[in-house]
Amino acid sequence: MRRGTKVAVGVGAAIVVVGGAAAIFGPGLYADWANEAAADAPTLESSAVPLPDAEAAAGTWTVSDGSFAGYRVDEVLQGEDVTVTGRTEDVTGAVTVADGSISEANIEVDMTTVATDEANRDGYFRDTALEVGKFPSATFELTEPAPIEEGATSVELTGDVTVHGVTQPATFEAEVAGDATSGDPVQVIGSIPITFADFDVEAPSLGFVTVEDEGSIEFSLQLQPGQ
């Protein structure tokens, strides 16, 4: 997948307060356990198929059950590399196809429910890093029509990402699977590179654990037609 314009969303700043587990089990064993606990990157549930003529997919598509969004970030724990993922299924929104393009897209993620494998990390993420009491949701809003090219299996999306009360532009590519003419949901997946500082979130460094300055937002959407 082609990397789009880097955006900063700050979600990776949730990585903190894992020193206790590392002290008990040793950083190497803890890193192995943490890496196994990390969720796999979003994948298409079925093979990507060429998109139909845009007119066949015209209409409004609503985010439905089975969707999720979250983040992936790397940390270094006492010299050991650890990958951490956070996920939530509390994703809502809609996508409109008209005039041969995706003409509108508004997606909202409930940041108060994004969870990892560590409750302490989640508490830092919600209360300190992203202040979800003040900024409970993250959003994506399409700002330019995204032409649907017949035969393609992906589409380039350009819009505004808002997290922690800060809005930044993003351009990224999304993969699509499913038959838009069948009446069944269509799956859309993607990953957006992120840099924390642009969203006024500082990646923590606590001595025993250091978070990388960059990570990625990941999503998998099930879009239901005609709702």
Side-chain angles (χ1 to χ4, degrees):
M1 180 182 300
R2 187 178 64 80
R3 290 173 64 92
T5 302
K6 287 190 176 182
V7 297
V9 181
V11 288
I15 314 309
V16 75
V17 197
V18 295
I24 294 172
F25 299 108
L29 288 177
Y30 175 80
D32 290 342
W33 173 79
N35 285 325
E36 290 178 0
D40 293 335
T43 57
L44 296 175
E45 296 174 0
S46 59
S47 299
V49 296
L51 296 170
D53 181 272
E55 294 304 316
T60 298
W61 297 72
T62 303
V63 176
S64 61
D65 292 344
S67 301
F68 69 82
Y71 67 88
R72 179 177 301 272
V73 71
D74 293 327
E75 66 181 14
V76 179
L77 175 66
Q78 297 181 8
E80 299 288 339
D81 294 331
V82 178
T83 296
V84 176
T85 56
R87 292 282 187 270
T88 180
E89 295 183 357
D90 291 329
V91 185
T92 57
V95 175
T96 300
V97 177
D99 300 324
S101 299
I102 298 175
S103 58
E104 296 181 49
N106 290 278
I107 308 298
E108 182 172 344
V109 179
D110 184 351
M111 302 303 287
T112 70
T113 61
V114 174
T116 69
D117 58 293
E118 281 281 343
N120 287 331
R121 181 191 290 119
D122 295 342
Y124 179 91
F125 166 79
R126 295 167 184 164
D127 299 334
T128 303
L130 293 184
E131 301 176 285
V132 297
K134 296 179 181 178
F135 313 107
S137 62
T139 61
F140 171 78
E141 181 178 0
L142 191 74
T143 56
E144 298 181 12
I148 296 177
E149 298 181 7
E150 187 173 1
T153 57
S154 62
V155 61
E156 185 178 83
L157 302 176
T158 296
D160 287 336
V161 175
T162 300
V163 174
H164 195 223
V166 178
T167 300
Q168 294 286 352
T171 298
F172 57 96
E173 205 161 280
E175 294 182 89
V176 182
D179 184 354
T181 64
S182 69
D184 295 328
V186 169
Q187 185 188 15
V188 180
I189 67 170
S191 178
I192 309 172
I194 61 173
T195 305
F196 307 138
D198 291 349
F199 278 72
D200 297 338
V201 176
E202 181 178 354
S205 177
L206 304 181
F208 60 86
V209 58
T210 301
V211 178
E212 299 295 334
D213 295 331
E214 300 177 351
S216 61
I217 304 168
E218 299 177 333
F219 63 88
S220 175
L221 305 179
Q222 296 286 341
L223 299 180
Q224 183 72 40
Q227 296 186 3

